[in-house]
């Protein structure tokens, strides 16, 4: 009927005794933090969301994202339609105020990037098996070039071990924030969801994880405008390119205005 929403219902699930209940359900405090976060994000950014119908509202899902700006975290928190659990570098756990925000907002799981953090991997595996929506950036750090950098195998390892369903989500535009804010303008940001998929079967050996990581990174590259594909630009098949549209046009024009003929 006209005016009737066709959006799938938000996930409801039985909370496993092995995880924090807030990983699956919104607490009053987390709802307030989310509302404040959205208010700030939409005051500073002009956010366009594309393909949200692809995103699963129910059941475990591993969300893989690109990471080009410190603004990525509040932007994803503002638009993702489910309660999430996210890997965050352990150095942020020592920042007063911000550590509490990250815990309330995105259920931060502190990750020590120096070597293999088995405790963090155990928490992530437990969360996924309990039906959570777990978010991580396969690149492992912010890209300083604005484009994708080589992905690490952690996302593939988790997918093979705990959750075969992967949802790729990308954002582009937030790296231009300072340029727009200096002119008292909101920065145009696009968040784009891609179709979910599952990795091929096989034991999680080194070669398999590398191949799966390539698949994951290409799923992100295909969603991005060519200027943001970084080291994966030459590996994207023409048929897999994201369609060019207003978002790409605005972004390309803004990048040329900021950087001229040379990309950062």
């Amino acid at each position: 009927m006209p005016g009737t929403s066709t959006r799938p219902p938000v996930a409801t699930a039985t909370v496993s005794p092995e995880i924090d209940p807030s990983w699956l359900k919104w607490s009053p405090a987390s709802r307030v933090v989310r509302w404040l976060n959205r208010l700030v994000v939409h005051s500073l950014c002009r956010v366009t969301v594309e393909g949200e119908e692809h995103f699963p509202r129910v059941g475990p899902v591993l969300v893989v994202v690109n990471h080009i700006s410190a603004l990525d975290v509040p932007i994803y928190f503002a638009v993702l339609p489910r309660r999430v659990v996210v890997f965050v570098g352990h150095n942020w756990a020592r920042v007063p105020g911000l550590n509490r925000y990250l815990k309330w907002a995105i259920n931060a799981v502190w990750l020590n990037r120096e070597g293999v953090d088995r405790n963090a991997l155990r928490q992530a595996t437990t969360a996924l098996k309990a039906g959570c929506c777990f978010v991580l950036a396969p690149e492992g750090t912010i890209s300083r070039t604005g484009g994708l950098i080589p992905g690490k195998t952690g996302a593939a390892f988790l997918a093979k071990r705990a959750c075969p369903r992967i949802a790729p989500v990308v954002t582009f535009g937030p790296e231009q924030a300072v340029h727009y804010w200096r002119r008292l303008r909101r920065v145009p940001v696009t968040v784009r969801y891609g179709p979910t998929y599952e990795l091929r079967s096989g034991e999680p050996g080194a070669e398999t994880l590398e191949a799966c990581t390539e698949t994951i990174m290409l799923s992100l590259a295909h969603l991005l405008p060519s200027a943001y594909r970084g080291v994966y630009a030459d590996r994207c098949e023409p048929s897999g390119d994201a369609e060019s549209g207003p978002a790409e046009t605005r972004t390309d024009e803004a990048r040329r205005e900021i950087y001229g003929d040379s990309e950062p």
Side-chain angles (χ1 to χ4, degrees):
M1 295 177 60
T4 301
S5 174
T6 58
R7 175 176 291 186
V10 175
T12 57
T14 302
V15 179
S16 166
E18 299 180 6
I19 68 169
D20 187 325
S22 67
W23 285 11
L24 277 169
K25 298 181 178 181
W26 295 98
S27 67
S30 65
R31 288 183 185 277
V32 171
V33 172
R34 178 175 169 84
W35 182 83
L36 290 172
N37 181 84
R38 281 181 163 176
L39 180 63
V40 172
V41 166
H42 289 290
S43 297
L44 298 175
C45 306
R46 190 168 71 253
V47 183
T48 301
V49 179
E50 301 174 358
E52 188 179 349
E53 68 276 7
H54 294 302
F55 196 79
R57 265 60 173 192
V58 178
V61 61
L62 181 62
V63 182
V64 293
V65 301
N66 67 324
H67 198 11
I68 59 175
S69 165
L71 279 175
D72 294 348
V73 172
I75 289 171
Y76 283 128
F77 178 47
V79 302
L80 287 173
R82 287 180 59 176
R83 194 76 171 111
V84 299
V85 186
V86 182
F87 272 150
V88 179
H90 73 289
N91 52 303
W92 297 108
R94 299 190 292 270
V95 181
L98 182 59
N99 53 6
R100 187 177 294 272
Y101 162 77
L102 291 171
K103 271 294 185 183
W104 279 350
I106 58 174
N107 292 309
V109 171
W110 307 118
L111 175 69
N112 188 341
R113 296 192 177 99
E114 299 175 1
V116 178
D117 190 334
R118 298 189 183 281
N119 180 57
L121 288 173
R122 179 187 58 77
Q123 292 184 70
T125 300
T126 300
L128 285 166
K129 289 184 175 180
C132 291
C133 175
F134 199 95
V135 182
L136 80 163
E139 297 161 286
T141 188
I142 295 176
S143 169
R144 299 303 178 185
T145 67
L148 292 175
I149 59 178
K152 302 181 184 302
T153 58
F157 177 83
L158 280 177
K160 303 291 286 184
R161 183 173 182 177
C163 179
R165 184 168 59 166
I166 297 176
V169 185
V170 299
T171 185
F172 49 93
E175 79 287 352
Q176 305 165 31
V178 174
H179 170 75
Y180 279 88
W181 293 344
R182 282 175 178 169
R183 292 159 175 77
L184 302 180
R185 295 166 57 192
R186 292 190 299 163
V187 56
V189 173
T190 298
V191 177
R192 180 176 289 163
Y193 297 82
T196 59
Y197 61 92
E198 295 188 5
L199 296 175
R200 66 188 184 192
S201 59
E203 293 298 320
E207 292 184 2
T208 301
L209 290 180
E210 290 292 345
C212 291
T213 299
E214 180 86 354
T215 299
I216 290 171
M217 295 307 297
L218 287 177
S219 73
L220 296 176
H222 288 155
L223 293 174
L224 288 165
S226 57
Y228 290 87
R229 292 173 178 171
V231 299
Y232 295 92
D234 295 337
R235 306 179 219 178
C236 287
E237 299 176 1
S239 60
D241 289 352
E243 293 183 6
S244 179
E248 282 81 352
T249 302
R250 290 195 304 269
T251 299
D252 290 342
E253 290 175 351
R255 289 174 73 89
R256 284 195 296 271
E257 181 182 351
I258 298 170
Y259 304 119
D261 294 330
S262 60
E263 291 293 329

